[in-house]
Amino acid sequence: MARRERLKRAGLIGALVGVAATGVAVGVTAERLLLRRRRAPEADDTQAGEWFRPLPCDEAVAVPTDFGVDLHVEIVDPVDGNELDLGPLDDVDPTLIFIHGFCLDMGTFYFQRAELTRLGEHRMVFYDQPGHGRSGKLADGEYTLDDLADGLVRVIDECAPDGPLVLIGHSMGGMTIMALAEQFPDLFGDRVKGVVLVSTSAGKLDEVAFGMPDYVARIAKPLMPVVIGGGKLTSNMVDNIRRASTDLGWLITRRYGFGSEEPDRALVSYVERMNSRTDTVVVARYLRTIYTHARYPALEALKRTKVLVVCGEDDKVTPPDHSAEICRILPDASFVAVPGAGHVALLERPDIVNAALLEFLEQIY
């Protein structure tokens, strides 16, 4: 009986942690029965032939942080002849810095990076957040958005020490920008000439129901401390459960990461691979800072620069009303609602997101 109880408890924590990677905490068994689909891409999938291999860069560096984690950074330079380094600072094209979200990595910006590299007009900096992708992990303790902001400052200091900047953040990456604005408001309007916030929130994420029925959401929220306090004692067990449940993870990603009824299977698999590479200890150590994130006052600093807010119309993780609230505080911000898209709108509808990004960059210079 004791062994059965341990397995039952491990199964509960495993389900919670795996689901937390895409922002939902319960209901996975029903999803598996209702949404069972083949994972292999089909011929009519838009991205069926896309392998999502790592994109080329001109330089890869490791940037150390004050909290003991090295960040993996990749730099893409403009095509020869497009980079102008003459004239006053305000006449120089900005460096674009891309900051990804929770349980993802720099590959979140795959289509934006591919298109901007093709155009060859901008210097771009991509990096993996602490504990994600190829960046290092904390030896102990919890991750905080304040630390993420410090990490972003280190990336700026090491990789773009001079010239104007445009910061582009998805989900937790947008929260990182807000934490930066809270700690270093003078950067905005001075060096930071533009901010793009994609599928993000300034707070109250503990109130999000993730598209679940109210009674399910009420059960899920009190269980978050179980995940946060899970710690190393259960991490190996939970990671084994997650790896053994890849079909379940794929279905959860499909249901809660995307907005369309039939998203491209290749895209779902790509996002699910990023989710699954983030281990349980990292997930648990991030949840507190994400679910207590509240930085509405920090948005005041963004009034000094141009802002673009983008959100999928069917985003269940950071619902559209969170973007609407950001725009209420920043009435001069541009807003783009992406139809038929969920939390990963920049992957699901890159045509719309890329067009909005390029138009925004043209407005800056």
Side-chain angles (χ1 to χ4, degrees):
M1 287 296 293
R3 182 174 182 274
R4 182 181 298 175
E5 190 62 30
R6 286 196 301 272
L7 289 173
K8 181 178 179 182
R9 177 177 174 80
L12 170 63
I13 297 175
L16 286 171
V17 173
V19 170
T22 50
V24 60
V26 293
V28 295
T29 303
E31 287 297 329
R32 191 170 194 174
L33 294 172
L34 293 173
L35 298 177
R36 185 179 299 275
R37 294 290 188 272
R38 287 179 294 125
R39 298 177 65 186
E42 294 190 345
D44 59 350
D45 285 348
T46 306
Q47 308 303 334
E50 181 58 70
W51 292 99
F52 296 104
R53 294 187 178 93
L55 293 170
C57 67
D58 294 290
E59 184 180 4
V61 297
V63 173
T65 64
D66 294 337
F67 49 92
V69 170
D70 286 351
L71 302 178
H72 176 75
V73 183
E74 296 184 0
I75 300 169
V76 179
D77 289 326
V79 174
D80 291 342
N82 283 341
E83 184 174 17
L84 299 177
D85 55 4
L86 302 175
L89 182 64
D90 285 347
D91 291 337
V92 179
D93 285 344
T95 294
L96 314 183
I97 301 183
F98 293 79
I99 311 107
H100 71 79
F102 184 43
C103 289
L104 299 167
D105 59 39
M106 67 173 70
T108 307
F109 301 102
Y110 182 89
F111 292 115
Q112 291 69 49
R113 179 171 175 171
E115 177 63 10
L116 290 168
T117 299
R118 184 187 69 81
L119 294 173
E121 297 175 356
H122 294 92
R123 184 172 186 268
M124 297 180 285
V125 176
F126 301 84
Y127 71 98
D128 290 332
Q129 296 264 37
H132 295 73
R134 284 168 282 182
S135 288
K137 303 173 184 177
L138 283 178
D140 52 46
E142 294 186 1
Y143 296 88
T144 70
L145 284 166
D146 288 341
D147 284 343
L148 300 195
D150 289 340
L152 176 53
V153 169
R154 293 290 295 131
V155 170
I156 292 172
D157 290 344
E158 292 290 328
C159 302
D162 302 304
L165 305 169
V166 174
L167 305 181
I168 302 160
H170 171 253
S171 192
M172 187 178 71
M175 301 174 203
T176 303
I177 295 172
M178 296 176 206
L180 179 72
E182 184 176 63
Q183 295 184 45
F184 304 99
D186 291 342
L187 280 175
F188 293 80
D190 178 15
R191 290 205 58 200
V192 178
K193 302 299 183 182
V195 170
V196 182
L197 301 173
V198 184
S199 303
T200 191
S201 171
K204 299 183 179 180
L205 285 170
D206 58 328
E207 299 177 5
V208 177
F210 305 107
M212 297 182 291
D214 288 343
Y215 74 91
V216 176
R218 286 198 298 271
I219 295 171
K221 291 170 188 174
L223 290 175
M224 277 302 165
V226 176
V227 179
I228 293 171
K232 292 184 178 179
L233 291 176
T234 60
S235 63
N236 291 336
M237 185 184 305
V238 173
D239 281 330
N240 287 335
I241 292 169
R242 289 176 69 194
R243 283 191 289 269
S245 303
T246 53
D247 286 343
L248 183 55
W250 191 88
L251 288 168
I252 293 167
T253 301
R254 177 187 181 278
R255 174 67 178 85
Y256 294 100
F258 292 80
S260 56
E261 289 294 326
E262 293 290 340
D264 284 348
R265 290 162 175 78
L267 277 179
V268 177
S269 295
Y270 179 57
V271 175
E272 192 273 333
R273 287 196 298 272
M274 285 190 278
N275 287 171
S276 64
R277 283 195 294 262
T278 310
D279 71 40
T280 300
V281 172
V282 172
V283 173
R285 290 175 175 177
Y286 263 104
L287 290 180
R288 190 189 311 276
T289 197
I290 291 174
Y291 279 86
T292 59
H293 164 62
R295 286 178 172 80
Y296 293 103
L299 294 175
E300 289 295 318
L302 274 61
K303 290 182 177 179
R304 306 170 189 169
T305 187
K306 292 184 181 295
V307 177
L308 169 65
V309 178
V310 180
C311 184
E313 290 184 350
D314 194 27
D315 189 335
K316 300 176 181 66
V317 180
T318 52
D321 59 333
H322 286 244
S323 291
E325 180 63 13
I326 292 172
C327 291
R328 187 190 67 80
I329 297 171
L330 302 174
D332 293 332
S334 301
F335 176 65
V336 174
V338 184
H343 192 59
V344 289
L346 68 181
L347 284 165
E348 195 170 10
R349 293 300 307 271
D351 52 336
I352 295 176
V353 176
N354 287 359
L357 176 59
L358 290 171
E359 182 180 352
F360 178 73
L361 293 174
E362 289 178 0
Q363 293 173 3
I364 294 177
Y365 290 99

